[in-house]
Amino acid sequence: MAIKRSTKQNKIKQKNSKGQSFFKTKIWPYLWRAVLTLFVLSILWVIALRFTNPPITYLMLKRGFERKAAGKEWKIDRKWLDYEDISDNLKRAALAGEDAHFMNHNGFDTKAIFEAIEKNKGGKSLRGGSTISQQTAKNVFLWPGRSWIRKGLESYFTVLIEIFWSKKRILEVYLNVIEMGQGVYGAEAASQYYFHKSGKSLTKKEAALIIAILPSPQKWDARRPSNYINRRANSIVRYLNYYKIPE
């Protein structure tokens, strides 16, 4: 009986050994090359978008199809505005309302992340504590969602843009691709839509109102702000001049 068990165990070991050998010699080289290729391509993609503007994002397309499904017109309203042409009021408002430590962090605001975790434990509704860098990475390179895979990729692309882009480029892209209304994306389109003027000449209050609606741009409207949005905008205006922006 002992001899039979030993023979059976040897056969199992030989089978497992063959399986491991097949993986190492046949599958692993292709898997490794695929991972390496994706890694190189992602870096090249990020570097390319340092010098060229993103033509469109997944979220823009998704929202467009959602509008069509709801019986509304297809709408992707956007017009790129170079960094120098964006109102400094809007740049400062973005930092005041969305990412107070933008100029100092490396893509992640650890204090905001831990605060978000603690408040979420208490069952309170809260935006995640994502920085402008994280939001830019998500909007430009990925899709909306809450899965761990997407969050992991968001962190990966956040690191890449912090390495290969300047803070100035990150803020420029952010203010040109972020959703700012129903079918409205970026500073210029939002300025024209809400205030019938260019994003070059926004007042402090107008800039603050646009940023104040960003938690739910599908729900809120900068032209008809609720009491909450007005309070949020006034708070942004109050601290606007305290923020240094990329030059």
Side-chain angles (χ1 to χ4, degrees):
M1 291 296 292
I3 295 174
K4 288 182 180 180
R5 281 198 298 268
S6 178
T7 302
K8 187 175 181 180
Q9 289 173 354
N10 288 336
K11 287 182 179 179
I12 293 173
K13 288 181 181 179
Q14 289 174 1
K15 186 176 180 180
N16 290 339
S17 178
K18 287 180 180 179
Q20 292 173 0
S21 177
F22 178 79
F23 178 80
K24 288 180 180 179
T25 58
K26 300 296 183 182
I27 297 178
W28 176 248
Y30 292 103
L31 185 61
W32 168 246
R33 287 172 194 165
V35 170
L36 184 61
T37 299
L38 290 173
F39 176 68
V40 172
L41 288 175
S42 66
I43 292 177
L44 293 176
W45 189 11
V46 169
I47 293 174
L49 291 183
R50 176 183 176 179
F51 304 102
T52 60
N53 300 327
I56 201 165
T57 67
Y58 180 93
L59 180 63
M60 293 176 190
L61 293 173
K62 181 176 184 290
R63 291 284 192 251
F65 284 116
E66 286 175 352
R67 287 179 63 85
K68 290 294 288 183
K72 301 178 181 179
E73 64 172 338
W74 176 273
K75 181 182 178 184
I76 299 179
D77 186 4
R78 65 184 299 244
K79 181 180 179 182
W80 193 273
L81 204 60
D82 291 336
Y83 184 82
E84 291 73 16
D85 294 327
I86 301 173
S87 166
D88 284 352
N89 289 328
L90 187 62
K91 297 169 190 172
R92 290 192 172 92
L95 269 59
E98 293 292 290
D99 190 353
H101 304 292
F102 175 71
M103 295 297 293
N104 301 315
H105 63 60
N106 61 355
F108 306 93
D109 188 341
T110 52
K111 181 180 178 181
I113 290 172
F114 285 123
E115 286 178 354
I117 292 172
E118 288 302 314
K119 289 183 180 179
N120 281 331
K121 283 181 181 177
K124 296 180 180 179
S125 177
L126 184 77
R127 299 177 66 203
S130 293
T131 63
I132 284 176
S133 300
Q134 288 175 276
Q135 292 181 58
T136 303
K138 177 186 69 176
N139 275 277
V140 174
F141 299 100
L142 302 169
W143 63 94
R146 295 182 178 276
S147 70
W148 286 108
I149 292 176
R150 208 234 4 113
K151 198 66 180 175
L153 289 172
E154 177 189 302
S155 298
Y156 171 70
F157 278 105
T158 298
V159 171
L160 289 186
I161 65 174
E162 283 283 340
I163 292 172
F164 293 106
W165 295 6
S166 63
K167 288 289 187 180
K168 177 179 175 179
R169 179 58 174 169
I170 293 172
L171 186 57
E172 177 187 24
V173 173
Y174 173 79
L175 289 174
N176 274 287
V177 303
I178 195 74
E179 184 181 27
M180 292 181 167
Q182 295 190 23
V184 178
Y185 304 89
E188 182 65 13
S191 300
Q192 296 288 354
Y193 180 71
Y194 292 120
F195 305 114
H196 308 290
K197 64 196 302 185
S198 173
K200 301 176 183 180
S201 54
L202 289 169
T203 66
K204 291 181 179 180
K205 184 59 181 288
E206 289 167 345
L209 283 169
I210 290 175
I211 296 302
I213 68 169
L214 292 189
S216 298
Q218 291 278 309
K219 174 184 175 183
W220 293 323
D221 191 317
R223 295 168 300 187
R224 295 179 290 274
S226 64
N227 291 335
Y228 167 75
I229 294 299
N230 253 325
R231 288 195 302 272
R232 179 169 158 80
N234 289 336
S235 177
I236 291 172
V237 170
R238 192 177 303 120
Y239 295 102
L240 210 62
N241 292 331
Y242 289 93
Y243 289 90
K244 179 183 177 183
I245 56 176
E247 299 294 340

